[in-house]
Amino acid sequence: MPGRGVRCVSDNPWVTAAETSECAIAYAQIGRFDEALDLMRSVAHLRRDDGSVYTGIVYPQLATFPDEERSTYTAAAVVLAADALSRATPASGLFVDDESLPSLIDVRGAEELERD
């Protein structure tokens, strides 16, 4: 929803911080940082003074959805997006091109792993 964030489902006007954050990460991955930042700004009002983030909001009522929910999933998505956009930690390299991030996956074949 332009200026409001990414819908949770296509047929209802529910915007969620997690889906918006995930979309922002996708934009960052393809180098469209301005769009990614705009998306994150659009849901900034869902963040509370204690740092928690409401899961979502329904328009035009401006009601939180689910009512007053602040899920860990939502918080994690927001933190990952913020890091990807700010590149504050080496973990941002998981989402944005960063050749300094060490390989995290052992790509040896199963037969090699069994010999270890």
Side-chain angles (χ1 to χ4, degrees), residues 7-28:
R7 289 177 186 240
C8 176
V9 293
S10 63
D11 61 340
N12 286 303
W14 307 332
V15 170
T16 60
E19 278 79 1
T20 301
S21 297
E22 292 163 355
C23 189
I25 290 170
Y27 272 116

Side-chain angles (χ1 to χ4, degrees), residues 91-110:
S92 66
L94 292 167
F95 302 107
V96 218
D97 186 31
D98 183 354
E99 295 178 20
S100 68
L101 188 68
S103 175
L104 300 176
I105 301 172
D106 191 341
V107 293
R108 296 180 293 168

